[in-house]
């Protein structure tokens, strides 16, 4: 059983009203900070709260991943529900790899009922990236179908079939962008398509290559996209050159330039971790200056304890309204 | 992968063949429908699509062909079945996240779209979800009957505003 301070009173289970607090932060013009929760391999809610503890005070939103890298962890809907009832601002990551359209719409309704306001709509890593590559891949929808369906549920109050919803979900809808992989010269066009489908905020893949990111943003600004969407740049500390090498060769879609890997390789072993954090801070300081960037999304896999330090050193720590 | 690379890299030629075939079939179809039993027509079309589009595009017989909107490159060859690609997992060499030796079909599709004539730019259209019930039916007949252009009824509610 859950211990008493985490058990909500029956009233807490009524549909929580009010719009996304992440949206409020962005609308107020603040530089937003979101971070990624390491979803536990556990059936105990305490493990979620342990991982989220470092993040809550410095973040405007916390993403719960949806079987990231095609590895099974506690479901994102459950992680988000647990975070919401403890007063955190969850961002539900929803992928298309494991669910067909019926399950997707059902999970969206369920998540909204449990207090989730932010949804990041993803296609998802392929099953082959994970530790159960023999699983069936679903991909009934792609990320754009998911986005538009969530928007239809919210704005039109119907399911994709046209059937009416008694109470539609109130979502702040997001999507991912990866400016760092081919076709780099066309990635802004897919961003435009996601905005058309319903994306209100974007969280990008890890940014370690500033020139590529800058040219992506230039193209996006030329289309006026920076005024239509809140864009949070994905960042994260690298533990060592070996971690960097692993990520860029094994994690789908991660691009790390040689210069970054070399810099870590040249750093003495004891200072590598600090150097990784310094690189992350430098990147935040750079992207903060770029027009059209509204925040950062910190993905510090198994380095959650580094997130407060990164936020503080990058000068993006704000007084947070009490959660 | 089967199919002719030489032809695939000539999307302008292929879109011409598509447009010509479409006009011819639209003209002939009413007559065809009158003289041939529907089940026979379906069988002949399915067989000829399996052979021709199978060879040309490695067609997966989804039954709702959007080749002319995707640079004459079959999106159903994407292991994630994306209708609005490419995904964020494309490798630095432009190859597929899932099948490392295969070039990403969506990177090819965008490049080929730019080489096209009358349908160039259609790759930017937001494609509706796939109707899985049309799998293994004839895309040509679905086109002629309009069965391929019926997205779920909720899908179009936004445009109707």
């Amino acid at each position: 059983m859950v211990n008493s301070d985490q058990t909500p009173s029956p009233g807490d289970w009524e549909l929580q009203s009010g719009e996304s607090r992440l949206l409020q932060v962005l609308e107020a013009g603040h530089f937003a900070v979101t971070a990624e929760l390491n979803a536990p391999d556990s059936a105990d809610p305490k493990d979620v709260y342990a991982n989220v503890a470092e993040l809550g005070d410095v973040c405007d939103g916390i993403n719960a991943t949806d079987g990231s890298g095609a590895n099974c962890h506690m479901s994102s809907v459950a992680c988000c529900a647990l975070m919401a009832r403890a007063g955190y601002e969850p961002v539900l990551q929803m992928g298309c790899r494991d669910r067909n359209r019926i399950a997707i719409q059902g999970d969206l309704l369920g998540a909204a009922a449990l207090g989730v306001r932010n949804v990041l709509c993803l296609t998802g890593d392929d099953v082959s990236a994970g530790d159960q590559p023999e699983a069936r891949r679903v991909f009934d929808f792609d990320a754009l179908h998911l986005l538009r369906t969530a928007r239809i549920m919210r704005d039109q109050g119907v399911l994709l079939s046209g059937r009416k919803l008694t109470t539609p979900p109130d979502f702040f809808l997001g999507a991912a962008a990866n400016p760092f992989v081919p076709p780099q010269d066309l990635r802004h066009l897919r961003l435009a398509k996601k905005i058309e489908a319903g994306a209100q905020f974007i969280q990008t893949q890890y940014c370690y290559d500033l020139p590529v990111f800058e040219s992506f943003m230039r193209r996006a600004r030329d289309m006026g996209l920076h005024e239509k969407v809140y864009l949070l740049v994905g960042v994260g500390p690298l533990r060592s050159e070996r971690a960097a090498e692993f990520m860029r060769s094994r994690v789908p879609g991660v691009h790390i330039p040689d210069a970054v890997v070399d810099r870590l390789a040249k750093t003495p072993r004891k200072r590598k971790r600090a150097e990784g954090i310094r690189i992350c801070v430098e990147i935040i300081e750079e992207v903060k200056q770029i027009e059209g960037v509204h925040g950062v999304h910190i993905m510090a896999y198994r380095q959650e304890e580094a997130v407060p330090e990164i936020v503080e050193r990058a000068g993006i720590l704000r007084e947070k309204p009490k959660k | 992968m089967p199919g002719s690379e030489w032809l695939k890299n000539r999307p302008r030629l292929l879109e011409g063949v598509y447009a010509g075939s479409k006009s011819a079939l639209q003209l002939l179809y009413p007559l065809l429908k009158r003289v041939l039993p529907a089940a026979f027509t379906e069988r002949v079309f399915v067989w000829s699509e399996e052979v021709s589009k199978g060879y040309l595009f490695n067609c997966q017989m989804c039954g709702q062909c959007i080749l002319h909107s995707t640079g004459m490159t079959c999106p159903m060859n994407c292991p994630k079945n994306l209708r609005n690609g490419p995904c964020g997992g494309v490798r630095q060499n432009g190859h597929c996240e899932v099948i490392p030796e295969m070039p990403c079909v969506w990177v090819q599709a965008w490049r080929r779209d730019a080489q096209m004539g009358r349908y160039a730019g259609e790759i930017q259209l937001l494609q509706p979800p796939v109707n899985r019930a049309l799998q293994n039916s004839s895309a040509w007949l679905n086109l002629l009957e309009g069965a391929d252009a019926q997205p779920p009824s909720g899908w179009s509610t936004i445009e109707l505003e």
Side-chain angles (χ1 to χ4, degrees):
Chain A
M1 288 310 289
V2 185
N3 63 33
S4 60
D5 58 333
Q6 286 155 358
T7 308
S9 66
D12 293 345
W13 288 108
E14 286 167 24
L15 179 67
Q16 293 168 25
S17 57
E19 66 171 0
S20 153
R21 277 181 279 151
L22 176 59
L23 172 60
Q24 287 168 2
V25 166
L26 288 162
E27 273 180 338
H30 296 302
F31 192 82
V33 178
T34 58
E36 188 172 282
L37 167 79
N38 178 15
D41 298 335
S42 165
D44 189 339
K46 284 207 281 292
D47 292 319
V48 173
Y49 294 128
N51 291 349
V52 91
E54 304 276 2
L55 311 173
D57 292 334
V58 294
C59 295
D60 302 301
I62 300 168
N63 285 48
T65 54
D66 182 18
S68 62
N71 293 304
C72 177
H73 307 290
M74 186 189 288
S75 79
S76 55
V77 172
C79 287
C80 284
L82 290 168
M83 285 195 278
R85 74 154 123 159
Y88 297 102
E89 176 74 357
V91 180
L92 174 73
Q93 295 196 184
M94 170 84 68
C96 300
R97 179 194 59 229
D98 305 326
R99 309 169 182 80
N100 71 5
R101 62 192 77 182
I102 300 171
I104 282 175
Q105 293 168 83
D107 276 350
L108 287 174
L109 288 178
L114 291 164
V116 176
R117 290 292 167 269
N118 313 295
V119 182
L120 184 74
C121 300
L122 305 164
T123 299
D125 299 324
D126 185 68
V127 293
S128 54
D131 61 358
Q132 300 187 59
E134 68 278 17
R136 165 170 286 204
R137 55 174 75 90
V138 180
F139 297 115
D140 185 26
F141 268 10
D142 63 30
L144 286 103
H145 300 146
L146 170 53
L147 263 173
R148 176 140 155 173
T149 299
R151 181 177 156 200
I152 287 165
M153 290 168 70
R154 181 192 64 196
D155 295 347
Q156 308 300 112
V158 295
L159 295 165
L160 201 54
S161 64
R163 190 150 50 82
K164 223 172 148 17
L165 298 166
T166 316
T167 302
D170 180 13
F171 286 139
F172 180 41
L173 292 174
N178 189 355
F180 309 103
V181 293
Q184 289 169 349
D185 54 329
L186 300 172
R187 284 284 167 183
H188 60 291
L189 296 173
R190 189 147 192 266
L191 173 64
K193 218 172 169 180
K194 287 189 169 178
I195 294 170
E196 188 201 334
Q200 299 165 281
F201 73 94
I202 298 292
Q203 291 174 316
T204 78
Q205 183 55 275
Y206 284 108
C207 172
Y208 292 106
D209 194 330
L210 282 162
V212 169
F213 182 68
E214 276 165 5
S215 56
F216 167 77
M217 286 305 294
R218 208 173 308 120
R219 291 191 190 99
R221 283 197 303 271
D222 288 345
M223 289 180 78
L225 301 180
H226 64 306
E227 284 162 355
K228 294 183 181 163
V229 78
Y230 296 109
L231 192 135
L232 313 188
V233 185
V235 295
L238 294 163
R239 216 183 261 279
S240 65
E241 74 276 14
R242 271 184 51 207
E245 206 56 73
F246 177 84
M247 274 175 56
R248 69 175 180 177
S249 59
R250 304 288 291 277
V251 183
V254 177
H255 162 60
I256 305 175
D258 293 337
V260 174
V261 182
D262 291 346
R263 187 170 152 187
L264 284 163
K266 285 193 190 107
T267 308
R269 198 156 58 90
K270 275 191 180 150
R271 295 215 305 272
K272 281 188 200 296
R273 195 175 160 279
E275 188 68 10
I277 290 174
R278 184 175 307 152
I279 293 171
C280 182
V281 169
E282 286 172 12
I283 290 170
I284 296 176
E285 284 167 343
E286 294 276 350
V287 297
K288 211 165 56 171
Q289 311 298 326
I290 300 173
E291 191 189 351
V293 171
H294 301 87
V296 286
H297 175 54
I298 307 174
M299 295 170 280
Y301 181 65
R302 289 192 181 159
Q303 290 194 77
E304 283 82 3
E305 73 288 350
V307 173
E309 183 188 344
I310 291 169
V311 171
E312 195 167 345
R313 281 176 53 191
I316 52 176
L317 182 63
R318 282 196 333 275
E319 275 303 309
K320 297 283 183 304
K322 219 50 220 137
K323 49 177 205 217
Chain B
M1 193 166 44
S4 160
E5 284 306 310
W6 187 88
L7 273 166
K8 279 186 194 169
N9 286 320
R10 275 150 191 83
R12 228 188 160 108
L13 173 67
L14 290 169
E15 74 174 328
V17 173
Y18 166 76
S21 310
K22 187 176 163 188
S23 306
L25 282 169
Q26 278 170 335
L27 206 69
L28 284 172
Y29 187 57
L31 177 72
L32 227 68
K33 222 173 149 175
R34 213 160 341 129
V35 297
L36 295 172
F40 176 78
T41 315
E42 173 79 21
R43 259 201 356 248
V44 172
F45 269 80
V46 166
W47 178 80
S48 51
E49 284 180 44
E50 275 171 355
V51 172
S52 63
K53 292 202 299 187
Y55 169 71
L56 279 171
F57 309 109
N58 199 26
C59 169
Q60 304 293 305
M61 296 301 288
C62 72
Q64 49 219 292
C65 199
I66 52 165
L67 276 167
H68 61 286
S69 301
T70 55
M72 302 307 288
T73 304
C74 174
M76 303 315 277
N77 280 271
C78 165
K80 296 186 185 176
N81 267 209
L82 299 190
R83 296 291 266 198
N84 299 282
C87 76
V90 183
R91 291 163 192 267
Q92 286 301 317
N93 63 1
H95 281 216
C96 173
E97 164 195 334
V98 185
I99 308 170
E101 58 280 7
M102 180 176 86
C104 167
V105 298
W106 275 101
V107 172
Q108 291 183 320
W110 278 86
R111 300 279 175 239
R112 289 170 183 160
D113 172 83
Q115 299 164 24
M116 283 169 71
R118 69 189 89 189
Y119 299 115
E122 280 208 8
I123 198 158
Q124 293 186 49
L125 298 174
L126 181 59
Q127 294 292 342
V130 178
N131 179 352
R132 309 284 169 183
L134 294 180
Q135 181 69 39
N136 296 326
S137 63
S138 160
W140 274 120
L141 290 178
N142 293 334
L143 172 82
L144 294 164
E145 293 283 351
D148 65 338
Q150 290 171 7
S153 69
W155 181 258
S156 310
T157 50
I158 289 180
E159 256 85 3
L160 295 175
E161 276 179 341

